Every structure is written in C-alpha cells, then in structure tokens.
Amino acid sequence: MFCFNPASIFYSSIYSESLYALFSIGGLYHLLSGASNVAVLWFALSGCARSNGILNAGYICFQTMHRAYEAFYLKKRVCVLVTGFLRCVCICLPFVAFQAYGYYNICHGHKLDELRPWCKGKVPLLYNFIQSHYWGVGFLRYFQFKQLPNFLLASPILSLAVCSVVSYMKTRPELFISLGFQATEKEKSSSARLYSLKDELEPDVITSSNIGIRDLRHRKLNKKKDVTITSAAAKSNSPETSGYFSADVFPFVVHLGLMTATAFFIMHVQVATRFLSASPSLYWFASHLIASPRHRKWEYLIWSYCAAYILLGTLLFSNFYPFT
C-alpha cells in the first residue's frame, strides 16, 4: 500500500519526503532487528532530511522506559537511562545543529537593536519563528472559515488515522492506560526489542536456553499473578488482540496519534496527507480493514481514495497549485 499512498506525488518527484521515509522506516527496521545503535543513526539521518525526524526519538523513549522498568524490576545493573538519553540526543543533533547554524549566521556578532525577535528568545529557534511569523503556524491558528477547503482536503487521511487510533484504543484500552506495561509476557517476548533488555544484555546472540532462564525468572517474580497472566495470555491469542491489535503495534499507534494531533491542531492541516504518509501503522490499519471480511466496503473506499489523490496530486503539484 505504501507504493500507492495518497502522497505518492511527493515520493516520485525530487522532494525530501521519500528520503525521510527511507531513513525513518529503515531506522524502525534496525530497531526491531535489535540494532538499536544503527537505528539511532538512521533516525538522525531522517532528522537531516526533515525536521519532524526528531519525533522518531519517541520510539527510543518508549524502549528506554520499558527497559528501565525491567532493569529495576530484575535488579540488573544496566545503564539503560543513560544509554537511552544519549541515543535521543544523537537523534536530536541534526535539528539542534541547524538551529545553531542559523543563530550563528543571523544573530551572532550583531548589535542588540539589529537582532531579529527570535534571536532574543531564551531558546532561539529559527525554524519555529519562520513557521509562526511567515506561515501562520501555531495552535488553532489555522482554524479559520477560509481554510475549510484545506480541512476537507486533509479529512480522508485524518479520518483514517483517527479511526486507527480509536479502534486500537477500544480493543486494547489496558495498553493505553498502562503505556504498554500490561502487555503479557508472550506479547513482550514477541516484540522483545522494544519491551525488554535482550539486545542490551546479549547483543550478539540470544539462545533458547537464555530465553528459558529469563522466562523462569519472570515466573518466579510474578508467581502471585499467575491467574491474571494466564487469562491475559489467553486473551492475547484471540483475533481481537493479534495482528494490528497486538502489543507490537502499540508504540506505532501512539506515534501516529501524536503526529495526527500535531497536524490537525498546529500545522497547516493540508500537509497532513504527506506528513502522516511515512507512518507504518496507518498502512497496517488500512490493510487490516481491506483483509477483513466485515469491512469489504472499506477496500473500495481506501483504494479509490489512494487512486484519486495520486491523480489529483499529480495534476495540482506539477502545475504549482497547493496540494498538501
């Protein structure tokens, strides 16, 4: 579905969106493969392509949060918080370097009365000033009657994103309430790179005996909760909590939710079509609807939407008309 996404015109022209998607999805691949340091490099490169690459640090924050809890719970001396913090810093470096470059070239060495307003800020951010001052970007600043056509233009992608988040929230409310901590041990082991310390403690190889020892340790620590864990494990095998609704997808849904809220309340809303186009959970949810026998009408609607926006985007963007 990604090859035929609604923002395809930006991926088939000379634009930074395709490069950003390459580095973002590549970073996720390495993160889930256990190569966290390599993933950080890819996420940092996504920040070089587009400023919203800084949001990919959220995956590292989620991973660090769960690993820090496990390290504390199992009394393991692993510098999880320090490692996670340094990784987030590395991802944010391209954004910080750009701001520092702008400050040095525009603000440094000038008299106080000659400085632009953003140079005098406590945290001088060039990009934020340009967006706010020249583009009118800000919280609810785009909520104007004359912008209604742009809201209509972005409504399909926003509707799909909101439906994906709400559907996941209704199916797995315990994960949202607990930030993923109520996922069963079986679910955590299936997505171990985000939930556990496996690749921190054993970066090269993880044998079945090591996994067995770790599971035995967990059983001892959770002996009083056997009944709860058993019922939760049975629930995790049901169709309602597998596939798109598995615990593996939870951090991606949270990431999509934050991006959707940002696009709707703060940004120029028509940008949402390409802003959300690199989010994996969007395509997973669409594929879930298409593959479900109960949602056959969605298959026609989704493919029609993609085809229409590919055609519309090609006509508008190539003729310098506004399209996302």
Side-chain angles (χ1 to χ4, degrees):
M1 287 199 64
F2 179 76
C3 296
F4 300 97
N5 77 74
S8 289
I9 181 59
F10 296 99
Y11 291 89
S12 55
S13 59
I14 302 176
Y15 208 76
S16 59
E17 209 68 47
S18 55
L19 193 61
Y20 165 76
L22 170 66
F23 290 134
S24 294
I25 297 174
L28 291 174
Y29 169 78
H30 287 290
L31 183 65
L32 297 177
S33 299
S36 297
N37 292 330
V38 179
V40 168
L41 175 61
W42 281 73
F43 287 150
L45 291 173
S46 73
C48 293
R50 297 195 66 83
S51 61
N52 51 294
I54 196 175
L55 297 177
N56 288 323
Y59 295 113
I60 301 297
C61 291
F62 180 86
Q63 182 190 60
T64 302
M65 177 179 66
H66 281 267
R67 288 182 169 183
Y69 173 78
E70 185 176 15
F72 174 79
Y73 195 62
L74 298 179
K75 298 180 180 180
K76 290 188 176 293
R77 295 181 178 180
V78 181
C79 300
V80 179
L81 290 176
V82 176
T83 303
F85 174 76
L86 291 176
R87 286 172 175 169
C88 289
V89 168
C90 290
I91 295 174
C92 297
L93 272 179
F95 180 81
V96 175
F98 176 77
Q99 305 304 317
Y101 176 79
Y103 182 85
Y104 180 81
N105 281 273
I106 300 175
C107 305
H108 183 70
H110 291 77
K111 295 180 180 180
L112 187 61
D113 56 345
E114 297 177 350
L115 294 177
R116 299 302 304 273
W118 70 273
C119 295
K120 303 174 185 178
K122 294 181 179 179
V123 182
L125 296 176
L126 169 62
Y127 195 59
N128 286 16
F129 173 76
I130 292 175
Q131 287 192 321
S132 176
H133 185 74
Y134 294 104
W135 301 348
V137 173
F139 183 66
L140 300 182
R141 291 178 64 178
Y142 215 61
F143 279 61
Q144 305 173 32
F145 183 77
K146 65 180 181 179
Q147 301 298 345
L148 182 60
N150 287 323
F151 277 91
L152 294 176
L153 186 66
S155 59
I157 195 73
L158 290 174
S159 300
L160 186 62
V162 170
C163 286
S164 68
V165 175
V166 171
S167 296
Y168 195 97
M169 188 182 298
K170 286 183 177 180
T171 306
R172 304 298 303 271
E174 75 282 359
L175 290 184
F176 270 90
I177 295 173
S178 66
L179 295 178
F181 284 105
Q182 288 191 16
T184 64
E185 290 303 317
K186 182 177 180 181
E187 288 181 310
K188 288 183 178 181
S189 62
S190 68
S191 53
R193 304 308 182 184
L194 287 175
Y195 284 95
S196 79
L197 289 164
K198 282 184 178 180
D199 63 320
E200 288 288 331
L201 300 175
E202 299 138 350
D204 297 324
V205 61
I206 301 173
T207 62
S208 59
S209 61
N210 288 338
I211 297 176
I213 292 172
R214 179 179 177 276
D215 290 341
L216 180 60
R217 189 183 297 121
H218 271 287
R219 284 197 295 271
K220 289 180 179 179
L221 291 171
N222 298 312
K223 190 174 182 180
K224 295 181 180 180
K225 299 180 181 179
D226 283 344
V227 176
T228 304
I229 292 176
T230 301
S231 60
K235 184 181 177 181
S236 67
N237 291 325
S238 64
E240 290 79 9
T241 56
S242 59
Y244 174 75
F245 299 108
S246 66
D248 308 45
V249 183
F250 175 68
F252 300 95
V253 174
V254 174
H255 187 265
L256 174 62
L258 293 174
M259 292 181 67
T260 303
T262 302
F264 184 73
F265 291 108
I266 299 176
M267 300 171 57
H268 289 184
V269 71
Q270 69 269 23
V271 178
T273 303
R274 60 180 172 85
F275 182 66
L276 303 177
S277 63
S279 181
S281 57
L282 200 64
Y283 303 101
W284 294 335
F285 179 69
S287 299
H288 166 75
L289 293 178
I290 291 174
S292 175
R294 297 179 301 173
H295 303 99
R296 285 301 179 189
K297 63 178 182 180
W298 284 102
E299 180 178 4
Y300 173 78
L301 290 175
I302 290 173
W303 284 119
S304 298
Y305 161 58
C306 291
Y309 268 59
I310 289 174
L311 178 61
L312 182 65
T314 302
L315 292 174
L316 293 179
F317 184 75
S318 60
N319 288 285
F320 303 100
Y321 285 101
F323 177 75
T324 78

